[in-house]
């Protein structure tokens, strides 16, 4: 057979029309490679090689031995072979070797050759050989689990597009165990991601010990969560949320990452996001007054002062960081440091004059430059969020562009190295679908496709400036991620898209091909105990009452085939395919599921519709008036376990039922919950729109549209009922039919707020 380069399939309107095996015109029984990220070059050849219980792993030399042993552990037990590597050169079986005869494009490059005689994995360096082992693991798990795997003969030549292929995890807002972090590092390595940016300090927690400063962990690592989450129900006493990593644990994580060729970049955020440290040592703050470790999210005004004593503290911290983390970079934060406290502090103003720096931005730049000198003397380079560009920046500093790409563009033009991590494309705390099954987070979506389509090198950079783009990074902020399952939901599957952006040549990027390879990742992640998000693989159902029946519209974000039933049974590969809105008589039960290659992908979604259910909507099924900052927030209790979740615009809390069927409606019932208003909005505070209350505790107010006529008002009680909810009954008279129904709670009830859970229309 003539060798051919495997090219992606042409884009298709509906992915489900393909069978995956169409992509590889191989012999029956040969697995179709499902590789993520897609290699730089893969050429199919004639023939195949079978891996089974008799296949041996051979390793030529000590480095190859190390990688072969890692391969044997990485490979799921569903693949049969002799796992103990045998030393030496060989013919046959699977052979790993460092090859110094060839000039390699980079230390991360590798080659795999498969023919009838066996599999050979070669590289110039250990990191490249490791990535060869990762690719071979994916080749061997591309098909269904079986006693033997027939691999296609092929030649892969691979090396990454970018050197910085990063993920940031915020362990300050919520804390993850060492085992959970190791599980993430494993999954990162298997996607060839190689930077773990570890956000270890913030207003809500300080997460590592520094010799000489014991209160950082005895005080700074604990906060009392807002509301019921901070009270022990049994004793009524405060229930702190605590956690820090010991030196031994950090060394363990660092070694674990290094074995997987992942550099850890620790972050100590200065001069803002500093409340936990100031709570431990008030003399580090501007006022010197005691503060508590924060249990509120947002932008806190507390800053470190820039006294000599505080600089020595920060140098102690950086010294500890330099000692614990052997990687080449330290992240010094620099983001969201509103300068209000420095502006009004006589001491800080005197410090600005004494140092002769240019105002408050100049003072921040001076702190960064001082720490840069210290870290540089310890062999480290400084990286910071794009705000650090506001002052004069040391030339060696690297900029992490998060407020869009502009900071990265400016930095690259100024000759700084850049890592692209723009919030609108690569912040994975933004939710990925609008499904009501999404966990808490930010409903401004970052879809899988958006991550996949992100181009790290802005067009406006010339070739020389573009060399400063070191790579890309996805960031996970954990304010709303109380459990590691939520962290995993945020990361997976989107980091697979990130991996391809970071690794594969631009010419090999192909979203349709990616979606055909992605389903093979799901069993790999399940085997690793990773709770990847099922929401992108399952349909959402929108429904509307029309002509006495239901109009049900299914949507599945990724374009996999949807199949459905209306008799209550679970859809199968033989069930009808969904094309367009279904009109069903009432009552109706609709079950739907996504399929790829004849196999179900996500969970079955079932909805039962009755005349009454179509007159009721949850908060997720409603719009808001302005979308200033919509969050998907959870209730404050119970302390552990499941909590109610509410979609709410924290700047302009209102809920809108578009084209509500109000004709013939006698009453609107509103079920509402109450959650803490736990946000620091800093300079955005004046944008809050809370309508004034008319009565002691405010009112439920219904309007015909956001600014339309008032349809009804009902006074609110002082407290919710014992279950944390209230149900309010608002009689309606002559409401306009078919207009928008807007629901608000008036009054400023901070530190709590009412939030809508469900609205139900009661016919006359
Ligand atoms: C950031 O998201 N504040 C860097």
């Amino acid at each position: 057979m003539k060798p051919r380069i495997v090219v992606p399939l042409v884009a298709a309107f509906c992915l489900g029309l393909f069978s995956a095996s169409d992509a590889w015109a191989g012999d029956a029984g040969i697995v179709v490679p499902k590789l993520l990220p897609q290699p730089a070059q893969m050429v199919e050849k004639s023939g195949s090689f079978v891996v089974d219980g008799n296949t041996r792993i051979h390793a030529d030399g000590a480095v190859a031995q190390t990688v072969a042993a890692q391969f044997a552990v990485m490979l799921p037990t569903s693949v049969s072979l002799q796992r103990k590597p045998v030393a030496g050169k060989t013919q046959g079986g699977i052979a790993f070797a460092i090859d110094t005869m060839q000039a390699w494009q980079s230390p991360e490059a590798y080659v795999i050759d498969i023919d009838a005689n066996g599999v050979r994995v070669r590289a110039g360096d250990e990191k490249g050989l490791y990535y060869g082992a990762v690719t071979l693991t994916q080749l061997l798990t591309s098909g269904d689990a079986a006693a033997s795997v027939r691999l296609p003969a092929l030649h892969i030549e691979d090396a990454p597009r970018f050197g910085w292929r990063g993920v940031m995890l915020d362990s300050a807002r919520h804390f993850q165990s060492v085992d959970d972090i190791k599980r993430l590092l494993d999954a990162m390595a298997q996607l060839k991601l190689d930077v773990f940016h570890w956000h270890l300090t913030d207003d809500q927690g300080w997460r590592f010990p520094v010799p000489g400063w014991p209160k950082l962990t005895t005080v700074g690592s604990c906060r009392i969560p807002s509301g019921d989450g901070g009270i022990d129900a049994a004793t009524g006493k405060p229930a702190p949320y605590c956690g820090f990593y010991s030196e031994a644990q950090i060394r363990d994580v660092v070694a674990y990452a290094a074995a997987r060729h992942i550099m850890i970049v620790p972050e100590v955020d200065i001069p803002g996001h500093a409340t936990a440290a100031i709570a431990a040592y008030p003399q580090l703050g501007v006022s010197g007054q005691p503060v508590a470790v924060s249990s509120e999210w947002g932008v806190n005004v507390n800053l470190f002062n820039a006294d000599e004593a505080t600089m020595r503290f920060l140098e102690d911290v950086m010294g500890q960081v330099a000692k614990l983390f052997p990687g080449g970079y330290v992240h010094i934060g620099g983001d969201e440091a509103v300068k209000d406290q420095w502006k009004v502090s006589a001491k800080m103003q005197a410090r600005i004059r004494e140092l002769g720096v240019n105002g408050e931005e100049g003072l921040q730049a001076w702190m960064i430059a001082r720490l840069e000198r210290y870290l540089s003397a310890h062999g480290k380079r400084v990286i910071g969020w794009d705000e650090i560009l506001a002052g004069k920046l040391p030339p060696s500093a690297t900029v992490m562009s998060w407020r869009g790409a502009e900071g990265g563009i400016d930095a690259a033009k100024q000759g700084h190295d850049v890592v692209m991590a723009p919030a609108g494309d690569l912040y994975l705390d933004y939710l990925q679908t609008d499904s009501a099954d999404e966990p808490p987070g930010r409903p401004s979506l970052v879809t899988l496709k958006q991550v996949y389509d992100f181009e790290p090198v802005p067009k406006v950079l010339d070739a020389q400036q573009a060399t400063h783009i070191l790579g890309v990074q996805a960031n996970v902020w954990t304010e709303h991620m109380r459990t590691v399952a939520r962290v995993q939901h945020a990361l997976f599957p989107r980091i697979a898209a990130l991996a391809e952006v970071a690794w594969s040549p631009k010419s090999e990027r192909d979203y349709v091909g990616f979606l055909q390879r992605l389903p093979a990742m799901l069993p790999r992640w399940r085997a690793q105990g990773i709770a990847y998000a099922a929401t992108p693989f399952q349909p959402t159902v929108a429904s509307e009452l029309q002509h006495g029946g239901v109009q049900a519209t299914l949507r599945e974000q990724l374009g996999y085939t949807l199949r459905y039933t209306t008799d209550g049974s679970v859809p199968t590969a033989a069930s009808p395919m969904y094309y367009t809105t279904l009109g069903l008589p009432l009552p109706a039960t609709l079950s739907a599921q996504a399929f790829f290659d004849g196999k179900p992908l996500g969970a079955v979604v079932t909805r039962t519709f009755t005349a009454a259910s179509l007159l009721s909507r949850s908060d997720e099924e409603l719009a808001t008036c302005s979308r200033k900052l919509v969050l998907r927030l959870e209730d404050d209790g119970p302390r552990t376990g499941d909590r109610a979740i509410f979609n709410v615009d924290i700047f302009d809390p209102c809920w809108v039922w578009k084209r509500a069927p109000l004709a013939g409606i006698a009453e609107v019932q509103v079920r509402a919950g109450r959650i803490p208003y736990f946000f620091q909005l800093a300079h955005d505070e004046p944008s809050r729109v809370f309508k004034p209350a008319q009565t002691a505790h405010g009112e439920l107010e219904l309007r015909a549209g956001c600014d339309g006529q008032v349809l009804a008002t009902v006074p609110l009680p002082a407290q919710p009922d014992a279950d944390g909810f209230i149900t309010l009954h608002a009689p309606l008279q002559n409401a306009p039919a078919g207009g928008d129904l807007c629901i608000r709670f008036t009054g400023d009830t901070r530190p709590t707020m009412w939030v809508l859970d469900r609205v139900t229309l009661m016919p006359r």
Side-chain angles (χ1 to χ4, degrees), residues 273 335-336 385 402 427 477:
H273 290 284
D335 58 320
E336 299 179 318
W385 300 111
W402 75 278
Y427 268 29
W477 301 101

Side-chain angles (χ1 to χ4, degrees), residues 228-239 639:
D228 292 345
I231 301 166
D232 183 327
T235 63
K237 297 217 167 100
R639 205 149 70 79

Side-chain angles (χ1 to χ4, degrees), residues 173 201-205 223 226 269-279 285-287 289-304 334-342 364 387 479 678-685:
R173 272 53 176 272
T201 72
D202 216 300
D203 297 308
Q204 297 83 2
R223 66 170 179 267
S226 303
D269 211 338
I270 65 132
H273 290 284
T275 305
I278 296 169
V286 178
S287 73
Q289 297 302 308
V291 293
V293 179
S294 181
S295 59
E296 300 188 308
W297 315 128
V299 177
N300 197 301
V301 293
N302 290 323
L303 297 186
F304 284 120
D335 58 320
E336 299 179 318
V338 293
K339 306 291 186 311
D340 303 14
Q341 289 189 340
W342 284 359
Q364 174 164 335
E387 286 94 331
E479 287 93 331
F678 42 22
F679 307 101
Q680 290 284 334
L681 304 178
H683 293 175
D684 290 325
E685 182 68 35

Side-chain angles (χ1 to χ4, degrees), residues 379-420:
K380 306 290 180 190
R381 294 186 67 166
V382 153
I383 180 166
W385 300 111
D386 57 46
E387 286 94 331
I388 63 175
L389 280 166
K392 193 166 152 23
L393 195 57
S396 70
T398 299
V399 172
M400 189 165 273
S401 191
W402 75 278
R403 296 174 300 173
E406 289 69 29
I409 292 168
D410 288 350
K413 286 185 173 170
Q414 291 174 31
H416 293 288
D417 283 349
V418 170
V419 175
M420 283 293 189

Side-chain angles (χ1 to χ4, degrees), residues 465-488:
Q465 292 159 346
T467 62
H468 286 295
I469 307 292
L470 301 183
V472 285
Q473 183 169 294
N475 294 337
V476 181
W477 301 101
T478 59
E479 287 93 331
H480 308 295
M481 299 180 195
R482 208 162 33 95
T483 64
V484 76
R486 287 187 187 163
V487 175
Q488 293 172 347

